[in-house]
Amino acid sequence: QLQLQESGPGLVKPSETLSLTCTVSGASISSSSYYWGWIRQPPGKGLEWIGSIYYSGSAYYNPSLNSRVTISVDTSKNQFSLWLSSVTAADTAVYYCARQVAVAGTGLWAFDIWGQGTMVTVSS
Amino acid sequence: QSALTQPASVSGSPGQSITISCTGTSSDVGSYNLVSWYQQHPGKAPKLMIYEVTKRPSGVSNRFSGSKSGNTASLTISGLQAEDEADYYCSSYAGSTTVVFGGGTKLTVL
């Protein structure tokens, strides 16, 4: 059974870089049928797509965050990671990693499997 | 890239049907049949309920259905049950390998 698990610091200081890792278990991250994405949700607010990556390393980002975001993939560890630089209090949120379908007819661009989420607070 | 527009809240009584709208633009919802809907209970991760406008993942009740007309997609839940009370989010492919979410709708089962 496929599972995704986020990990990383729960507290980050303003102006520093937020770093999270998503570990995929139960399936290979190197599948050609999926992207792997990050989505966040500020407390009491809606979902925001941050970006997604293919196993080949091709990454796609939300234009509003593009200048601060980097997503990478490590197929040997079955993990992908998020870096968000120059964080402020507005980046305080629950961060989810999720599998994103890359094949038409089976849920193209939908996030079909989600991690449980991890809360990251930006505060000094 | 602006968030898709959803009503902040909807409500209905058990057994009734409700519809949640999701309005985008000709650059996202209107251009692609790639709208998804997610259900999120408090403190839980979202769950995919509808993909590619009308399709249901395995295991999702057929009480949930999706549709689209122009720049507006809709999620209909028939035969409302108490367990349907949750937040619902739409999302759409928005071109140039980007995705946009709606602001979310809180469904209350009266």
Side-chain angles (χ1 to χ4, degrees), chain A residues 35 39 41 45-49 52 59-64 96 100-101 103-112 114-117, chain B residues 1 33-36 38 40 43-48 50-52 55 87 89-93 96-104:
Chain A
Y35 303 104
I39 304 99
Q41 185 173 35
K45 296 188 177 181
L47 301 170
E48 179 181 33
W49 173 68
S52 301
Y60 314 101
Y61 303 126
N62 185 327
S64 67
Y96 295 99
Q100 186 178 28
V101 179
V103 178
T106 62
L108 182 60
W109 292 101
F111 297 96
D112 65 342
W114 295 64
Q116 65 183 22
Chain B
Q1 188 187 56
N33 289 324
L34 297 174
V35 175
S36 303
Y38 302 87
Q40 186 180 36
K44 300 296 187 181
K47 174 187 177 183
L48 180 65
I50 296 287
Y51 64 90
E52 294 176 0
K55 300 174 183 178
D87 293 327
Y89 294 90
C90 62
S91 76
S92 175
Y93 180 66
S96 302
T97 58
T98 64
V99 173
V100 61
F101 280 95

CSV table of all heavy atoms in Angstrom, one decimal, chain A residues 35 39 41 45-49 52 59-64 96 100-101 103-112 114-117, chain B residues 1 33-36 38 40 43-48 50-52 55 87 89-93 96-104:
chain,number,residue,atom,x,y,z
A,35,TYR,N,3.6,12.3,-11.1
A,35,TYR,CA,4.4,13.4,-10.6
A,35,TYR,C,4.3,13.3,-9.1
A,35,TYR,O,3.5,12.5,-8.5
A,35,TYR,CB,3.9,14.8,-11.0
A,35,TYR,CG,3.8,15.0,-12.5
A,35,TYR,CD1,2.5,15.0,-13.1
A,35,TYR,CD2,4.9,15.3,-13.3
A,35,TYR,CE1,2.4,15.3,-14.4
A,35,TYR,CE2,4.7,15.6,-14.6
A,35,TYR,CZ,3.5,15.6,-15.2
A,35,TYR,OH,3.3,15.8,-16.6
A,39,ILE,N,1.8,20.6,-1.5
A,39,ILE,CA,0.7,21.5,-1.4
A,39,ILE,C,0.7,22.0,0.1
A,39,ILE,O,1.1,21.2,1.0
A,39,ILE,CB,-0.6,20.7,-1.6
A,39,ILE,CG1,-0.7,20.1,-3.0
A,39,ILE,CG2,-1.8,21.7,-1.4
A,39,ILE,CD1,-0.3,18.6,-3.0
A,41,GLN,N,-1.3,24.4,3.3
A,41,GLN,CA,-2.6,25.0,3.8
A,41,GLN,C,-2.3,25.8,5.1
A,41,GLN,O,-2.1,25.2,6.2
A,41,GLN,CB,-3.5,23.8,4.1
A,41,GLN,CG,-4.9,24.2,4.5
A,41,GLN,CD,-5.9,23.1,4.6
A,41,GLN,OE1,-5.5,22.0,5.0
A,41,GLN,NE2,-7.1,23.3,4.2
A,45,LYS,N,-7.2,28.2,6.4
A,45,LYS,CA,-7.3,28.6,5.0
A,45,LYS,C,-7.3,27.5,4.0
A,45,LYS,O,-7.3,26.3,4.4
A,45,LYS,CB,-6.2,29.6,4.7
A,45,LYS,CG,-6.3,30.9,5.6
A,45,LYS,CD,-5.3,31.9,5.1
A,45,LYS,CE,-5.4,33.2,5.9
A,45,LYS,NZ,-4.4,34.3,5.5
A,46,GLY,N,-7.3,27.8,2.8
A,46,GLY,CA,-7.5,26.8,1.7
A,46,GLY,C,-6.1,26.2,1.3
A,46,GLY,O,-5.1,26.6,1.8
A,47,LEU,N,-6.2,25.4,0.3
A,47,LEU,CA,-5.1,24.7,-0.2
A,47,LEU,C,-4.3,25.5,-1.3
A,47,LEU,O,-5.0,26.2,-2.1
A,47,LEU,CB,-5.5,23.3,-0.9
A,47,LEU,CG,-6.2,22.3,0.0
A,47,LEU,CD1,-6.8,21.2,-0.8
A,47,LEU,CD2,-5.3,21.8,1.1
A,48,GLU,N,-3.0,25.4,-1.3
A,48,GLU,CA,-2.2,26.1,-2.3
A,48,GLU,C,-1.2,25.1,-2.9
A,48,GLU,O,-0.4,24.6,-2.1
A,48,GLU,CB,-1.5,27.3,-1.7
A,48,GLU,CG,-0.7,28.1,-2.7
A,48,GLU,CD,0.0,29.3,-2.2
A,48,GLU,OE1,0.4,29.2,-1.0
A,48,GLU,OE2,0.3,30.3,-2.9
A,49,TRP,N,-1.2,24.9,-4.2
A,49,TRP,CA,-0.2,24.1,-4.8
A,49,TRP,C,1.1,24.8,-4.8
A,49,TRP,O,1.2,26.0,-5.3
A,49,TRP,CB,-0.7,23.8,-6.3
A,49,TRP,CG,0.4,23.1,-7.1
A,49,TRP,CD1,0.8,21.8,-6.9
A,49,TRP,CD2,1.1,23.6,-8.2
A,49,TRP,NE1,1.7,21.5,-7.9
A,49,TRP,CE2,1.9,22.5,-8.7
A,49,TRP,CE3,1.1,24.8,-8.9
A,49,TRP,CZ2,2.7,22.7,-9.8
A,49,TRP,CZ3,1.9,24.9,-10.0
A,49,TRP,CH2,2.7,23.9,-10.5
A,52,SER,N,5.5,20.6,-8.3
A,52,SER,CA,5.5,19.1,-8.5
A,52,SER,C,6.8,18.8,-9.3
A,52,SER,O,7.4,19.6,-9.9
A,52,SER,CB,4.3,18.7,-9.3
A,52,SER,OG,3.1,19.0,-8.7
A,59,ALA,N,10.9,19.8,-12.8
A,59,ALA,CA,10.0,20.3,-11.8
A,59,ALA,C,9.2,21.5,-12.3
A,59,ALA,O,9.6,22.2,-13.2
A,59,ALA,CB,10.9,20.8,-10.6
A,60,TYR,N,8.0,21.7,-11.7
A,60,TYR,CA,7.1,22.7,-12.1
A,60,TYR,C,6.6,23.4,-10.8
A,60,TYR,O,6.3,22.8,-9.8
A,60,TYR,CB,5.9,22.1,-12.8
A,60,TYR,CG,6.3,21.1,-13.9
A,60,TYR,CD1,6.2,19.7,-13.6
A,60,TYR,CD2,6.8,21.5,-15.1
A,60,TYR,CE1,6.6,18.8,-14.5
A,60,TYR,CE2,7.2,20.6,-16.0
A,60,TYR,CZ,7.1,19.2,-15.7
A,60,TYR,OH,7.6,18.3,-16.7
A,61,TYR,N,6.6,24.7,-10.9
A,61,TYR,CA,6.3,25.5,-9.7
A,61,TYR,C,5.1,26.5,-9.8
A,61,TYR,O,4.9,26.9,-10.9
A,61,TYR,CB,7.6,26.3,-9.3
A,61,TYR,CG,8.8,25.5,-9.0
A,61,TYR,CD1,10.0,25.8,-9.7
A,61,TYR,CD2,8.8,24.4,-8.2
A,61,TYR,CE1,11.1,25.0,-9.5
A,61,TYR,CE2,9.9,23.6,-8.0
A,61,TYR,CZ,11.1,23.9,-8.6
A,61,TYR,OH,12.2,23.2,-8.4
A,62,ASN,N,4.5,26.8,-8.7
A,62,ASN,CA,3.5,27.8,-8.7
A,62,ASN,C,4.2,29.1,-9.0
A,62,ASN,O,5.2,29.5,-8.3
A,62,ASN,CB,2.9,27.9,-7.3
A,62,ASN,CG,1.7,28.9,-7.2
A,62,ASN,OD1,1.7,29.9,-7.8
A,62,ASN,ND2,0.7,28.5,-6.4
A,63,PRO,N,3.7,29.9,-10.0
A,63,PRO,CA,4.4,31.1,-10.4
A,63,PRO,C,4.5,32.1,-9.2
A,63,PRO,O,5.5,32.9,-9.2
A,63,PRO,CB,3.5,31.7,-11.5
A,63,PRO,CG,2.8,30.5,-12.1
A,63,PRO,CD,2.6,29.6,-10.9
A,64,SER,N,3.6,32.1,-8.3
A,64,SER,CA,3.6,33.0,-7.2
A,64,SER,C,4.7,32.7,-6.2
A,64,SER,O,5.1,33.5,-5.4
A,64,SER,CB,2.3,33.1,-6.4
A,64,SER,OG,2.1,31.8,-5.8
A,96,TYR,N,1.7,19.4,2.8
A,96,TYR,CA,1.4,18.1,2.4
A,96,TYR,C,2.3,17.7,1.2
A,96,TYR,O,2.5,18.5,0.3
A,96,TYR,CB,0.0,17.9,1.9
A,96,TYR,CG,-1.1,18.2,3.0
A,96,TYR,CD1,-1.7,19.4,3.2
A,96,TYR,CD2,-1.5,17.1,3.9
A,96,TYR,CE1,-2.7,19.6,4.1
A,96,TYR,CE2,-2.4,17.3,4.8
A,96,TYR,CZ,-3.1,18.5,4.9
A,96,TYR,OH,-4.0,18.7,5.9
A,100,GLN,N,0.8,12.8,-7.8
A,100,GLN,CA,0.0,13.5,-8.8
A,100,GLN,C,0.0,12.7,-10.0
A,100,GLN,O,1.0,12.3,-10.6
A,100,GLN,CB,0.5,14.9,-9.0
A,100,GLN,CG,-0.3,15.8,-9.9
A,100,GLN,CD,0.3,17.1,-10.1
A,100,GLN,OE1,1.5,17.3,-10.0
A,100,GLN,NE2,-0.5,18.1,-10.3
A,101,VAL,N,-1.2,12.4,-10.6
A,101,VAL,CA,-1.3,11.5,-11.7
A,101,VAL,C,-0.8,12.2,-13.0
A,101,VAL,O,-1.1,13.4,-13.2
A,101,VAL,CB,-2.8,11.1,-11.9
A,101,VAL,CG1,-3.0,10.2,-13.2
A,101,VAL,CG2,-3.3,10.4,-10.7
A,103,VAL,N,-1.1,10.6,-16.1
A,103,VAL,CA,-1.6,9.9,-17.3
A,103,VAL,C,-3.1,10.3,-17.5
A,103,VAL,O,-3.9,10.2,-16.6
A,103,VAL,CB,-1.5,8.4,-17.1
A,103,VAL,CG1,-2.1,7.6,-18.2
A,103,VAL,CG2,-0.1,8.0,-16.9
A,104,ALA,N,-3.4,10.7,-18.7
A,104,ALA,CA,-4.7,11.1,-19.1
A,104,ALA,C,-5.7,9.9,-18.9
A,104,ALA,O,-5.3,8.7,-19.2
A,104,ALA,CB,-4.8,11.6,-20.5
A,105,GLY,N,-6.9,10.2,-18.5
A,105,GLY,CA,-7.9,9.1,-18.3
A,105,GLY,C,-7.9,8.5,-17.0
A,105,GLY,O,-8.9,7.8,-16.6
A,106,THR,N,-6.8,8.7,-16.2
A,106,THR,CA,-6.8,8.1,-14.8
A,106,THR,C,-6.6,9.1,-13.7
A,106,THR,O,-6.3,8.8,-12.6
A,106,THR,CB,-5.6,7.1,-14.8
A,106,THR,OG1,-4.3,7.8,-15.0
A,106,THR,CG2,-5.7,6.0,-15.8
A,107,GLY,N,-6.9,10.4,-14.1
A,107,GLY,CA,-6.8,11.4,-13.1
A,107,GLY,C,-5.7,12.5,-13.4
A,107,GLY,O,-5.2,13.0,-12.4
A,108,LEU,N,-5.5,12.7,-14.6
A,108,LEU,CA,-4.4,13.6,-15.0
A,108,LEU,C,-4.4,14.9,-14.2
A,108,LEU,O,-5.4,15.6,-14.1
A,108,LEU,CB,-4.5,13.9,-16.5
A,108,LEU,CG,-3.3,14.8,-17.0
A,108,LEU,CD1,-2.0,14.2,-16.8
A,108,LEU,CD2,-3.6,15.1,-18.5
A,109,TRP,N,-3.3,15.2,-13.6
A,109,TRP,CA,-3.1,16.4,-12.7
A,109,TRP,C,-3.8,16.4,-11.4
A,109,TRP,O,-3.7,17.3,-10.6
A,109,TRP,CB,-3.4,17.7,-13.5
A,109,TRP,CG,-2.4,17.9,-14.6
A,109,TRP,CD1,-2.6,17.7,-15.9
A,109,TRP,CD2,-1.1,18.4,-14.5
A,109,TRP,NE1,-1.5,18.0,-16.6
A,109,TRP,CE2,-0.5,18.5,-15.8
A,109,TRP,CE3,-0.3,18.8,-13.4
A,109,TRP,CZ2,0.7,18.9,-16.1
A,109,TRP,CZ3,1.0,19.3,-13.7
A,109,TRP,CH2,1.5,19.3,-15.0
A,110,ALA,N,-4.5,15.3,-11.1
A,110,ALA,CA,-5.1,15.2,-9.7
A,110,ALA,C,-4.2,14.6,-8.7
A,110,ALA,O,-3.3,13.8,-9.1
A,110,ALA,CB,-6.4,14.3,-9.8
A,111,PHE,N,-4.3,14.9,-7.5
A,111,PHE,CA,-3.5,14.4,-6.4
A,111,PHE,C,-4.3,13.3,-5.8
A,111,PHE,O,-5.3,13.5,-5.1
A,111,PHE,CB,-3.2,15.5,-5.4
A,111,PHE,CG,-2.4,16.6,-5.9
A,111,PHE,CD1,-3.0,17.8,-6.4
A,111,PHE,CD2,-1.0,16.5,-6.0
A,111,PHE,CE1,-2.2,18.8,-6.9
A,111,PHE,CE2,-0.2,17.5,-6.5
A,111,PHE,CZ,-0.8,18.7,-6.9
A,112,ASP,N,-3.9,12.0,-6.0
A,112,ASP,CA,-4.7,10.9,-5.6
A,112,ASP,C,-4.3,10.3,-4.3
A,112,ASP,O,-5.1,9.6,-3.7
A,112,ASP,CB,-4.8,9.9,-6.7
A,112,ASP,CG,-3.4,9.2,-7.0
A,112,ASP,OD1,-2.4,9.8,-6.6
A,112,ASP,OD2,-3.5,8.1,-7.7
A,114,TRP,N,-2.2,11.2,-0.6
A,114,TRP,CA,-1.7,12.3,0.2
A,114,TRP,C,-0.9,11.8,1.4
A,114,TRP,O,-1.3,10.8,2.0
A,114,TRP,CB,-2.8,13.3,0.6
A,114,TRP,CG,-3.5,14.0,-0.5
A,114,TRP,CD1,-4.2,13.5,-1.5
A,114,TRP,CD2,-3.5,15.4,-0.7
A,114,TRP,NE1,-4.7,14.5,-2.3
A,114,TRP,CE2,-4.3,15.7,-1.8
A,114,TRP,CE3,-2.9,16.5,0.0
A,114,TRP,CZ2,-4.5,17.0,-2.3
A,114,TRP,CZ3,-3.2,17.8,-0.4
A,114,TRP,CH2,-4.0,18.0,-1.6
A,115,GLY,N,0.1,12.5,1.9
A,115,GLY,CA,0.7,12.3,3.2
A,115,GLY,C,-0.2,12.9,4.2
A,115,GLY,O,-1.2,13.6,3.9
A,116,GLN,N,0.1,12.7,5.5
A,116,GLN,CA,-0.7,13.2,6.6
A,116,GLN,C,-0.5,14.6,6.8
A,116,GLN,O,-1.4,15.3,7.5
A,116,GLN,CB,-0.4,12.4,7.9
A,116,GLN,CG,1.0,12.6,8.4
A,116,GLN,CD,1.3,11.8,9.6
A,116,GLN,OE1,0.6,10.7,9.8
A,116,GLN,NE2,2.3,12.2,10.4
A,117,GLY,N,0.5,15.2,6.3
A,117,GLY,CA,0.8,16.6,6.5
A,117,GLY,C,1.7,16.9,7.7
A,117,GLY,O,1.7,16.1,8.6
B,1,GLN,N,-2.1,33.9,-11.9
B,1,GLN,CA,-2.8,32.7,-11.6
B,1,GLN,C,-3.6,32.9,-10.3
B,1,GLN,O,-3.1,33.0,-9.2
B,1,GLN,CB,-1.9,31.5,-11.3
B,1,GLN,CG,-2.5,30.1,-11.1
B,1,GLN,CD,-1.5,29.0,-10.8
B,1,GLN,OE1,-0.8,29.2,-9.8
B,1,GLN,NE2,-1.5,28.0,-11.5
B,33,ASN,N,-10.6,19.7,-19.4
B,33,ASN,CA,-11.5,18.8,-18.6
B,33,ASN,C,-10.6,18.1,-17.6
B,33,ASN,O,-10.6,16.9,-17.5
B,33,ASN,CB,-12.1,17.8,-19.6
B,33,ASN,CG,-13.2,18.5,-20.4
B,33,ASN,OD1,-13.9,19.4,-20.0
B,33,ASN,ND2,-13.3,18.0,-21.7
B,34,LEU,N,-10.0,18.9,-16.8
B,34,LEU,CA,-9.0,18.4,-15.8
B,34,LEU,C,-9.3,19.1,-14.4
B,34,LEU,O,-8.4,19.5,-13.7
B,34,LEU,CB,-7.6,18.7,-16.2
B,34,LEU,CG,-7.1,18.1,-17.5
B,34,LEU,CD1,-5.8,18.5,-17.9
B,34,LEU,CD2,-7.1,16.5,-17.3
B,35,VAL,N,-10.6,19.0,-14.1
B,35,VAL,CA,-11.0,19.5,-12.7
B,35,VAL,C,-11.1,18.4,-11.8
B,35,VAL,O,-11.7,17.3,-12.1
B,35,VAL,CB,-12.4,20.2,-12.9
B,35,VAL,CG1,-12.9,20.7,-11.5
B,35,VAL,CG2,-12.3,21.5,-13.8
B,36,SER,N,-10.6,18.6,-10.6
B,36,SER,CA,-10.7,17.6,-9.5
B,36,SER,C,-11.4,18.2,-8.3
B,36,SER,O,-11.4,19.4,-8.1
B,36,SER,CB,-9.3,17.1,-9.1
B,36,SER,OG,-8.6,16.6,-10.2
B,38,TYR,N,-11.8,17.6,-4.0
B,38,TYR,CA,-11.3,16.9,-2.8
B,38,TYR,C,-12.2,17.2,-1.6
B,38,TYR,O,-12.8,18.3,-1.4
B,38,TYR,CB,-9.9,17.5,-2.5
B,38,TYR,CG,-8.9,17.3,-3.6
B,38,TYR,CD1,-8.8,18.2,-4.6
B,38,TYR,CD2,-8.1,16.2,-3.7
B,38,TYR,CE1,-8.0,18.1,-5.7
B,38,TYR,CE2,-7.3,16.0,-4.8
B,38,TYR,CZ,-7.2,16.9,-5.8
B,38,TYR,OH,-6.4,16.7,-6.9
B,40,GLN,N,-12.1,17.2,2.6
B,40,GLN,CA,-11.2,17.3,3.7
B,40,GLN,C,-12.0,17.4,5.0
B,40,GLN,O,-12.7,18.4,5.3
B,40,GLN,CB,-10.3,18.5,3.6
B,40,GLN,CG,-9.2,18.5,4.7
B,40,GLN,CD,-8.2,19.7,4.5
B,40,GLN,OE1,-8.6,20.8,4.1
B,40,GLN,NE2,-7.0,19.5,4.9
B,43,GLY,N,-8.6,18.3,10.4
B,43,GLY,CA,-7.4,17.7,10.9
B,43,GLY,C,-6.9,16.6,10.0
B,43,GLY,O,-5.9,15.9,10.4
B,44,LYS,N,-7.5,16.4,8.9
B,44,LYS,CA,-7.2,15.2,8.0
B,44,LYS,C,-6.6,15.8,6.7
B,44,LYS,O,-6.9,16.9,6.3
B,44,LYS,CB,-8.4,14.3,7.8
B,44,LYS,CG,-8.9,13.7,9.0
B,44,LYS,CD,-8.0,12.8,9.7
B,44,LYS,CE,-8.6,12.0,10.8
B,44,LYS,NZ,-7.7,11.1,11.5
B,45,ALA,N,-5.9,14.9,6.0
B,45,ALA,CA,-5.5,15.2,4.6
B,45,ALA,C,-6.7,15.2,3.7
B,45,ALA,O,-7.6,14.5,3.9
B,45,ALA,CB,-4.4,14.3,4.2
B,46,PRO,N,-6.6,16.0,2.6
B,46,PRO,CA,-7.7,15.9,1.6
B,46,PRO,C,-7.7,14.5,0.9
B,46,PRO,O,-6.7,13.8,0.9
B,46,PRO,CB,-7.2,17.0,0.6
B,46,PRO,CG,-6.4,17.9,1.3
B,46,PRO,CD,-5.6,17.0,2.3
B,47,LYS,N,-8.9,14.2,0.4
B,47,LYS,CA,-9.2,13.0,-0.2
B,47,LYS,C,-9.8,13.2,-1.6
B,47,LYS,O,-10.7,14.0,-1.7
B,47,LYS,CB,-10.2,12.1,0.6
B,47,LYS,CG,-10.6,10.8,-0.1
B,47,LYS,CD,-11.7,10.1,0.7
B,47,LYS,CE,-12.2,8.9,-0.1
B,47,LYS,NZ,-13.3,8.2,0.6
B,48,LEU,N,-9.2,12.6,-2.6
B,48,LEU,CA,-9.7,12.8,-4.0
B,48,LEU,C,-11.1,12.2,-4.2
B,48,LEU,O,-11.2,11.0,-3.9
B,48,LEU,CB,-8.7,12.2,-5.0
B,48,LEU,CG,-9.1,12.3,-6.5
B,48,LEU,CD1,-9.1,13.8,-6.9
B,48,LEU,CD2,-8.1,11.5,-7.3
B,50,ILE,N,-13.4,13.4,-7.1
B,50,ILE,CA,-13.7,13.4,-8.5
B,50,ILE,C,-12.4,13.8,-9.2
B,50,ILE,O,-11.7,14.7,-8.8
B,50,ILE,CB,-14.8,14.5,-8.7
B,50,ILE,CG1,-16.1,14.0,-8.1
B,50,ILE,CG2,-15.0,14.7,-10.3
B,50,ILE,CD1,-16.8,12.9,-8.8
B,51,TYR,N,-12.2,13.2,-10.4
B,51,TYR,CA,-11.1,13.7,-11.3
B,51,TYR,C,-11.6,13.8,-12.7
B,51,TYR,O,-12.6,13.2,-13.1
B,51,TYR,CB,-9.9,12.8,-11.1
B,51,TYR,CG,-10.1,11.4,-11.6
B,51,TYR,CD1,-9.9,11.0,-13.0
B,51,TYR,CD2,-10.5,10.4,-10.7
B,51,TYR,CE1,-10.0,9.7,-13.4
B,51,TYR,CE2,-10.7,9.1,-11.2
B,51,TYR,CZ,-10.5,8.7,-12.5
B,51,TYR,OH,-10.6,7.5,-12.9
B,52,GLU,N,-10.9,14.6,-13.5
B,52,GLU,CA,-11.2,14.8,-14.9
B,52,GLU,C,-12.7,15.1,-15.0
B,52,GLU,O,-13.4,14.5,-15.9
B,52,GLU,CB,-10.8,13.6,-15.7
B,52,GLU,CG,-9.3,13.5,-15.8
B,52,GLU,CD,-8.8,12.3,-16.5
B,52,GLU,OE1,-9.6,11.5,-17.0
B,52,GLU,OE2,-7.5,12.1,-16.6
B,55,LYS,N,-15.2,11.9,-13.2
B,55,LYS,CA,-14.8,10.5,-12.9
B,55,LYS,C,-14.6,10.3,-11.4
B,55,LYS,O,-14.1,11.2,-10.8
B,55,LYS,CB,-13.6,10.1,-13.7
B,55,LYS,CG,-13.8,10.2,-15.2
B,55,LYS,CD,-12.5,9.9,-15.9
B,55,LYS,CE,-12.7,10.0,-17.4
B,55,LYS,NZ,-11.5,9.8,-18.2
B,87,ASP,N,-15.0,20.1,4.4
B,87,ASP,CA,-14.6,21.1,3.5
B,87,ASP,C,-14.3,20.4,2.1
B,87,ASP,O,-13.8,19.3,2.1
B,87,ASP,CB,-13.3,21.8,3.9
B,87,ASP,CG,-13.5,22.6,5.2
B,87,ASP,OD1,-14.7,23.1,5.4
B,87,ASP,OD2,-12.6,22.8,6.0
B,89,TYR,N,-12.8,21.1,-1.8
B,89,TYR,CA,-11.9,22.0,-2.7
B,89,TYR,C,-11.9,21.5,-4.1
B,89,TYR,O,-11.9,20.3,-4.4
B,89,TYR,CB,-10.5,22.0,-2.2
B,89,TYR,CG,-10.3,22.6,-0.8
B,89,TYR,CD1,-10.4,21.8,0.3
B,89,TYR,CD2,-10.0,24.0,-0.7
B,89,TYR,CE1,-10.2,22.4,1.6
B,89,TYR,CE2,-9.8,24.5,0.5
B,89,TYR,CZ,-9.9,23.8,1.7
B,89,TYR,OH,-9.7,24.3,2.9
B,90,CYS,N,-12.0,22.4,-5.0
B,90,CYS,CA,-11.9,22.1,-6.4
B,90,CYS,C,-10.4,22.4,-6.8
B,90,CYS,O,-9.8,23.2,-6.2
B,90,CYS,CB,-12.9,22.8,-7.3
B,90,CYS,SG,-12.8,24.6,-7.3
B,91,SER,N,-10.0,21.8,-7.9
B,91,SER,CA,-8.7,22.2,-8.5
B,91,SER,C,-8.8,22.0,-10.0
B,91,SER,O,-9.6,21.3,-10.5
B,91,SER,CB,-7.5,21.5,-7.9
B,91,SER,OG,-7.5,20.2,-8.4
B,92,SER,N,-8.0,22.7,-10.7
B,92,SER,CA,-7.9,22.6,-12.2
B,92,SER,C,-6.5,22.8,-12.7
B,92,SER,O,-5.7,23.5,-12.1
B,92,SER,CB,-8.8,23.7,-12.8
B,92,SER,OG,-8.7,23.7,-14.2
B,93,TYR,N,-6.2,22.1,-13.8
B,93,TYR,CA,-5.0,22.3,-14.5
B,93,TYR,C,-5.2,23.7,-15.1
B,93,TYR,O,-6.3,24.1,-15.6
B,93,TYR,CB,-4.8,21.3,-15.6
B,93,TYR,CG,-3.6,21.5,-16.5
B,93,TYR,CD1,-2.3,21.4,-15.9
B,93,TYR,CD2,-3.7,21.9,-17.8
B,93,TYR,CE1,-1.2,21.6,-16.6
B,93,TYR,CE2,-2.5,22.1,-18.6
B,93,TYR,CZ,-1.3,21.9,-18.0
B,93,TYR,OH,-0.2,22.1,-18.7
B,96,SER,N,0.6,25.4,-18.8
B,96,SER,CA,2.0,25.6,-18.5
B,96,SER,C,2.4,24.8,-17.3
B,96,SER,O,3.2,25.3,-16.4
B,96,SER,CB,2.3,27.1,-18.3
B,96,SER,OG,1.9,27.9,-19.4
B,97,THR,N,1.9,23.6,-17.2
B,97,THR,CA,2.2,22.7,-16.1
B,97,THR,C,2.0,23.3,-14.7
B,97,THR,O,2.9,23.2,-13.8
B,97,THR,CB,3.7,22.2,-16.2
B,97,THR,OG1,4.6,23.3,-16.2
B,97,THR,CG2,3.9,21.4,-17.4
B,98,THR,N,0.9,24.0,-14.5
B,98,THR,CA,0.5,24.5,-13.2
B,98,THR,C,-0.9,24.1,-12.8
B,98,THR,O,-1.7,23.7,-13.7
B,98,THR,CB,0.5,26.1,-13.2
B,98,THR,OG1,-0.5,26.6,-14.1
B,98,THR,CG2,1.9,26.6,-13.6
B,99,VAL,N,-1.1,24.1,-11.5
B,99,VAL,CA,-2.4,23.7,-11.0
B,99,VAL,C,-2.9,24.8,-10.1
B,99,VAL,O,-2.1,25.5,-9.4
B,99,VAL,CB,-2.2,22.4,-10.2
B,99,VAL,CG1,-3.5,22.1,-9.4
B,99,VAL,CG2,-1.8,21.2,-11.1
B,100,VAL,N,-4.2,25.0,-10.0
B,100,VAL,CA,-4.8,26.0,-9.2
B,100,VAL,C,-5.9,25.4,-8.4
B,100,VAL,O,-6.7,24.6,-8.9
B,100,VAL,CB,-5.3,27.3,-9.9
B,100,VAL,CG1,-6.3,26.9,-10.9
B,100,VAL,CG2,-5.7,28.4,-9.0
B,101,PHE,N,-6.0,25.8,-7.1
B,101,PHE,CA,-7.1,25.3,-6.2
B,101,PHE,C,-8.1,26.4,-6.0
B,101,PHE,O,-7.9,27.6,-6.2
B,101,PHE,CB,-6.5,24.9,-4.8
B,101,PHE,CG,-5.9,23.6,-4.8
B,101,PHE,CD1,-4.5,23.5,-4.9
B,101,PHE,CD2,-6.6,22.4,-4.6
B,101,PHE,CE1,-3.9,22.2,-4.8
B,101,PHE,CE2,-6.0,21.2,-4.5
B,101,PHE,CZ,-4.6,21.1,-4.6
B,102,GLY,N,-9.3,25.9,-5.6
B,102,GLY,CA,-10.3,26.8,-5.2
B,102,GLY,C,-10.1,27.2,-3.7
B,102,GLY,O,-9.3,26.6,-3.0
B,103,GLY,N,-10.9,28.2,-3.3
B,103,GLY,CA,-10.8,28.6,-1.9
B,103,GLY,C,-11.4,27.7,-0.9
B,103,GLY,O,-11.1,27.9,0.3
B,104,GLY,N,-12.2,26.8,-1.3
B,104,GLY,CA,-12.8,25.8,-0.4
B,104,GLY,C,-14.2,26.2,0.0
B,104,GLY,O,-14.6,27.4,0.1
